Amino acid sequence: MRRLLVLGATGSIGRSTLDVAARHADKLIVHTLTAFRDADALFELCKRHRPVRAVLVDEAAASRLREAIEAEGLACEVLAGAQALVDVADDADCDLVMSAIVGAAGLLPTLAAVRRGKQVLIANKEPLVMAGALLMREAAASGACILPIDSEHNAIFQCLPPAYRCGDAPKGVRRLLLTASGGPFREWTREQIAAATPQQAVKHPNWSMGQKISVDSATLMNKGLELIEASVLYQMRDEQLDVVVHPESVIHSLVEYVDGSMLAQLGQPDMRVPIAHALAWPERWESGVGGLDLASLARFRFEPPDLERFPCLGLARAALRAGGNAPNLLNAANEVAVEAYLCGRIDFYNLSSMIEACLEAGMRFHAQAAADLESILAIDTWARRWCSDRLAAA
Ligand code: NAD
Ligand code: MG
């Protein structure tokens, strides 16, 4: 029996993970669940999945959860605070960790699980963008097994030889091709996009996801973060990574080998597929998702991404090329910008202009290698403050 910790259990990925885990109670114990502050949602999950432990970052919410759990008579210990996330990720009790917090907040617990040499399923892409080299170095030192959950990276992993492990450069590969749905504004003009509201931005045509990644999908920053994520997981250079828009979201990505073979993974756009793949790996388990009816899909479309209407993808590419701490700056600025956009403080194209300006202002950090945790966190803080000051001045 493997014991599972779900970081970010109340989120879109967290819930899909629990859906798959519940189908395999003979092989998996849902051991620990964590969330930010939604005590009601976590309480419901505790009733259904009976974890041994639950963590809420917010102290007051944790007290409410503790009371509800006692009243219900559940045998579940409740912990509170951000440090408790790191403690449970570090705890030897769980050997399997789903990293599904959104944003940089997931870095410390993910790093703790990696340092412990666990099997770490990474959906939370932002830590890989801000501290990819550090995470992969720590994984190599501890023997942690990293499995990608992001559908594109999971697809690529599935198209590589069975002996392949993340953090190595795969042999005989010419190029990785990430597919992108194009997001909700794929067919909108620049003028229409400029006026897009947050409500329109979070309405994704093919996937149902958390708010932050939904905005990232609308700006195509999500694909930009994924380029950097792919460079970290698969040790590929910028020139070996490409993006193609594929509106059906059925082909989840491709690996092109040096002999011209292109291998792809296909499936319904349902995150339970990559989640089940990684939970079961190297076996295969039922995910609750069926296959595809290819005849009724009829045809697949492909088009190049439009960097004119979606400048965030170009900015991410530039940060990948610059290397060092540029991806860290990009990620921090994007998190601040997305939050400001969701609150209605800035317009759609202010997202990219703020990120671009922050990358320029922090130019001196680009060349500096993202070596240790302390400097990574300091640069993340610097970029957030820079963006907040700019917002306050506007
Ligand atoms: P979500 O917003 O639905 O859920 C986020 C989870 O993280 C919640 O459980 C929330 O309580 C917790 N959380 C939020 N802020 C926190 C904080 N400061 N400290 C601790 N916990 C916190 O997000 P999601 O859509 O499930 O995405 C999670 C991650 O997975 C993101 O990094 C996203 O990019 C990635 N991802 C998601 C999908 C998808 O289909 N949803 C696909 C690929 C990758
Ligand atoms: Mg993805």
Side-chain angles (χ1 to χ4, degrees), residues 6-16 34-38 41-42 45 55-58 81-82 85 98-106 109 122-127 149-153 207-214 216-217 222 225-226 229 269-272 274-275 335:
V6 183
L7 296 164
T10 56
S12 157
I13 294 288
R15 287 172 185 280
S16 294
T34 86
F36 187 51
R37 64 170 156 223
D38 191 341
L42 195 54
L45 293 177
V55 182
L56 282 170
V57 174
D58 186 275
L85 293 177
M98 170 58 81
S99 163
I101 290 173
V102 59
I122 302 191
N124 185 196
K125 65 192 83 184
E126 293 89 350
I149 295 299
D150 213 347
S151 57
E152 297 75 6
H153 307 75
W207 298 92
S208 115
M209 310 180 288
Q211 290 221 316
K212 195 257 173 183
I213 184 175
S214 295
D216 286 343
S217 299
N222 184 49
L225 298 176
E226 289 181 358
E229 181 184 8
D270 186 323
M271 288 305 292
R272 289 178 300 171
I275 289 168
E335 287 194 29

Side-chain angles (χ1 to χ4, degrees), residues 24-235:
H24 302 283
D26 54 326
K27 301 185 237 26
L28 274 185
I29 295 171
V30 175
H31 186 280
T32 304
L33 300 181
T34 86
F36 187 51
R37 64 170 156 223
D38 191 341
D40 294 341
L42 195 54
F43 177 58
E44 286 306 315
L45 293 177
C46 288
K47 276 201 289 191
R48 192 161 345 130
H49 299 282
R50 306 290 167 129
V52 176
R53 228 185 260 143
V55 182
L56 282 170
V57 174
D58 186 275
E59 306 265 351
S63 305
R64 284 202 306 282
L65 177 65
R66 202 171 287 122
E67 281 164 23
I69 281 191
E70 274 167 20
E72 186 77 13
L74 297 178
C76 176
E77 181 191 9
V78 178
L79 305 176
Q83 181 56 40
L85 293 177
V86 176
D87 295 342
V88 296
D90 181 56
D91 195 308
D93 275 1
C94 298
D95 47 0
L96 190 56
V97 178
M98 170 58 81
S99 163
I101 290 173
V102 59
L107 173 60
L108 295 181
T110 304
L111 183 61
V114 165
R115 282 181 170 155
R116 271 280 169 195
K118 300 186 181 194
Q119 186 157 325
V120 188
L121 282 46
I122 302 191
N124 185 196
K125 65 192 83 184
E126 293 89 350
L128 285 171
V129 173
M130 62 192 295
L134 172 69
L135 280 164
M136 299 319 285
R137 201 170 60 233
E138 295 284 355
S142 69
C145 173
I146 290 182
L147 292 169
I149 295 299
D150 213 347
S151 57
E152 297 75 6
H153 307 75
N154 183 270
I156 289 166
F157 186 83
Q158 293 198 46
C159 295
L160 291 171
Y164 174 79
R165 297 293 176 270
C166 287
D168 295 341
K171 292 197 183 74
V173 171
R174 186 188 284 153
R175 183 172 75 117
L176 302 179
L177 192 50
L178 302 182
T179 53
S181 69
F185 305 143
R186 184 176 59 87
E187 294 182 293
W188 291 30
T189 64
R190 197 181 154 100
E191 292 65 40
Q192 289 172 315
I193 297 173
T197 65
Q199 291 74 13
Q200 291 169 316
V202 299
K203 242 194 222 135
H204 197 277
N206 305 340
W207 298 92
S208 115
M209 310 180 288
Q211 290 221 316
K212 195 257 173 183
I213 184 175
S214 295
V215 173
D216 286 343
S217 299
T219 60
L220 291 202
M221 180 55 95
N222 184 49
K223 213 48 56 181
L225 298 176
E226 289 181 358
L227 278 176
I228 300 168
E229 181 184 8
S231 79
V232 169
L233 291 172
Y234 300 112
Q235 300 291 307

